[in-house]
Amino acid sequence: MSENPSFTAAGFRGWIDMSDDMFLLVEGDDDKRLFKRMVRELLSDKQRPIHIYSAQDFIDTPLIGQGCREKVETISQIIEQYPYASRYVGFVDREFRDFEIGDKLKDNLNKHQVSGRLIWSRGHSIENYYLDFSTLLSPLRVFSTTQYFDQALDLFERYFESIIRLACAASLVGKECDNRLNLVKSSIGWELMRIHQNQIVVDLDLWKEHLIKKQKLQVSDATHLVECFQKWTQVVENADFEDVRWLCHGHIGLAYVWASY
């Protein structure tokens, strides 16, 4: 098959059946690139070939209308009934599933969910694996050009937990307020971040102004988002950090990490 194929689920299953190779199906192209890099760096050339494709490659009419996660889940459920299933794995984002979200936050799973040939990411999405200071250290070194790199890195490490807690609160705002996750992600920037009493905080007055002027929200909607953020910040502050890290929306988490740094 070509590097960027388009095929039906039946054709994909037939290829697995006829091949002796291993197959991994993920949601999107970002996931595909990440897993290809992991396979190249972590597995030796002597390993059985692993073919990695995303749900975006499928053109089936029955799958049209489903999101990428649902496509992977549907195909995985079908494949697990066949003998060749042992050479296939589907991997999807967990999203907010099996988290207790209310006055208290709790991860009710605390592991990867494995169901047949389908695996959920450990946290909300694949980006959550990056929400770890030791993991971020190397890329920050590569992309930092400031002469104050050492001081910046020391501060970043000191405030890292508060950054992820803010990102988790913002994630819950996006989830609660009409699923405005993309708006919450795009509305954050370095100019809104402040250091206050040994933690990173968001300047809420500036954020509200940004939501109104740049995101074109009504004043009432922007006010509601800010109030919702204040509420979730208090809830997140009292939660276990491991629960916070995995619950946080992955893309929002990375946006907050970069803005803070």
Side-chain angles (χ1 to χ4, degrees):
M1 291 191 176
S2 64
E3 181 66 22
N4 296 297
S6 293
F7 44 74
T8 66
F12 181 64
R13 298 198 309 269
W15 185 30
I16 300 174
D17 189 17
M18 292 184 294
S19 174
D20 291 326
D21 296 342
M22 309 292 288
F23 292 80
L24 173 63
L25 181 62
V26 296
E27 292 188 38
D29 290 338
D30 287 344
D31 301 326
K32 182 164 60 175
R33 282 190 289 269
L34 174 61
F35 274 106
K36 283 186 174 181
R37 182 175 299 175
M38 288 176 61
V39 168
R40 184 170 58 249
E41 294 180 358
L42 300 179
L43 299 181
S44 69
D45 295 336
K46 296 180 181 179
Q47 297 284 338
R48 186 185 303 183
I50 300 176
H51 303 281
I52 305 173
Y53 293 101
S54 79
Q56 295 173 327
D57 298 324
F58 289 89
I59 58 175
D60 287 42
T61 300
L63 297 177
I64 292 176
Q66 292 188 0
C68 288
R69 174 174 64 80
E70 290 82 3
K71 288 180 181 180
V72 177
E73 291 174 343
T74 298
I75 292 169
S76 300
Q77 189 175 24
I78 295 172
I79 287 178
E80 69 178 67
Q81 305 173 42
Y82 292 91
Y84 55 79
S86 61
R87 292 184 283 103
Y88 165 87
V89 170
F91 185 93
V92 296
D93 289 345
R94 175 181 177 180
E95 300 181 5
F96 293 110
R97 294 179 288 182
D98 269 0
F99 285 101
E100 182 179 329
I101 301 175
D103 293 338
K104 294 183 178 180
L105 304 178
K106 184 179 179 182
D107 185 347
N108 291 324
L109 190 58
N110 281 317
K111 62 180 180 180
H112 289 89
Q113 170 71 24
V114 180
S115 177
R117 304 309 301 171
L118 182 72
I119 299 175
W120 292 0
S121 59
R122 172 64 179 84
H124 177 278
S125 53
I126 204 166
E127 287 78 16
N128 289 65
Y129 296 103
Y130 293 112
L131 301 184
D132 173 79
F133 178 77
S134 61
T135 302
L136 291 168
L137 183 58
S138 179
L140 287 175
R141 281 175 171 162
V142 171
F143 292 106
S144 293
T145 57
T146 173
Q147 61 178 315
Y148 303 107
F149 166 74
D150 290 330
Q151 297 96 311
L153 197 60
D154 287 342
L155 287 172
F156 182 71
E157 183 176 14
R158 188 187 310 169
Y159 301 133
F160 183 77
E161 182 174 317
S162 68
I163 294 168
I164 303 304
R165 289 185 183 275
L166 281 178
C168 184
S171 304
L172 296 173
V173 171
K175 180 180 184 298
E176 178 180 332
C177 299
D178 300 322
N179 206 30
R180 286 175 159 172
L181 293 163
N182 287 331
L183 182 146
V184 169
K185 173 180 176 290
S186 62
S187 67
I188 196 64
W190 65 267
E191 66 276 10
L192 305 180
M193 313 305 289
R194 301 284 185 269
I195 296 177
H196 178 68
Q197 295 182 350
N198 293 321
Q199 62 181 347
I200 293 286
V201 298
V202 176
D203 187 320
L204 295 180
D205 291 332
L206 279 181
W207 188 42
K208 180 178 178 179
E209 181 181 338
H210 178 90
L211 290 170
I212 296 169
K213 292 184 177 180
K214 295 187 178 180
Q215 301 293 334
K216 307 301 181 184
L217 292 187
Q218 297 293 323
V219 173
S220 58
D221 290 337
T223 300
H224 178 61
L225 285 177
V226 170
E227 291 175 348
C228 190
F229 184 81
Q230 291 174 309
K231 177 193 74 175
W232 283 118
T233 298
Q234 294 177 355
V235 174
V236 169
E237 188 63 33
N238 294 319
D240 183 89
F241 181 66
E242 279 299 294
D243 294 342
V244 168
R245 173 194 173 186
W246 296 118
L247 172 60
C248 178
H249 185 282
H251 288 175
I252 292 176
L254 290 181
Y256 266 76
V257 162
W258 188 242
S260 300
Y261 185 69

